[in-house]
Amino acid sequence: MKNIAGIIYLCLFFIGLIGTFLFANKGLDSRFSFAFVIGFLLLLFLSCIYFMIKILLNLKSLTLNQWARRLLKFLVLASSFSLGFCVLNMVFQRPDPFDFSRLGVPVGTALGIVFWDMMFLKKGEK
């Protein structure tokens, strides 16, 4: 039964994605296209909330050693991505003072890489 729900979700996702691309590409302005895109965005938003809750529930099963390894990996990745981002920003744009608001993308990417597998763990796995 769970596999059928996953197939239905993926079908809805891909239909919504293709429809949204078509509506955005053709520039169709109608009530249906607006409602369709809003519905797809709602599906994406609720999916993100579901996956975040699932990750938080799976984080309880980690041991202290696993937490420490993940934290170290996060710090290394976040600092290296931030450094690379700053270097690329200086090469391709005018050098301006370092702005902390530019750290969102590297930190978010590092968080995603470190905790990605927590979304797919089943009960009892580590």
Side-chain angles (χ1 to χ4, degrees), residues 19-83:
T20 301
F21 280 147
L22 288 175
F23 289 142
N25 209 11
K26 298 290 183 187
L28 299 176
D29 273 340
S30 68
R31 283 184 178 257
F32 176 73
S33 63
F34 182 73
F36 188 86
V37 171
I38 294 297
F40 180 65
L41 291 176
L42 184 64
L43 176 74
L44 288 178
F45 179 71
L46 292 175
S47 298
C48 288
I49 289 176
Y50 168 73
F51 289 133
M52 281 189 244
I53 290 172
K54 191 170 180 181
I55 288 171
L56 289 174
L57 290 176
N58 285 336
L59 283 176
K60 292 190 303 186
S61 68
L62 291 179
T63 63
L64 191 59
N65 189 21
Q66 291 171 333
W67 268 102
R69 272 192 271 142
R70 286 183 187 264
L71 183 63
L72 180 66
K73 185 177 178 182
F74 167 72
L75 291 174
V76 168
L77 283 175
S79 60
S80 62
F81 288 162
S82 298
L83 181 66

Side-chain angles (χ1 to χ4, degrees), residues 5-22:
I7 291 172
I8 291 172
Y9 170 76
L10 284 175
C11 288
L12 285 175
F13 175 79
F14 284 116
I15 289 170
L17 185 67
I18 291 169
T20 301
F21 280 147
L22 288 175

Side-chain angles (χ1 to χ4, degrees), residues 70-86 98-116:
R70 286 183 187 264
L71 183 63
L72 180 66
K73 185 177 178 182
F74 167 72
L75 291 174
V76 168
L77 283 175
S79 60
S80 62
F81 288 162
S82 298
L83 181 66
F85 190 70
C86 289
F98 185 74
D99 189 11
F100 284 107
S101 65
R102 295 183 181 169
L103 289 178
V105 172
V107 169
T109 304
L111 272 173
I113 290 171
V114 170
F115 293 108
W116 175 258

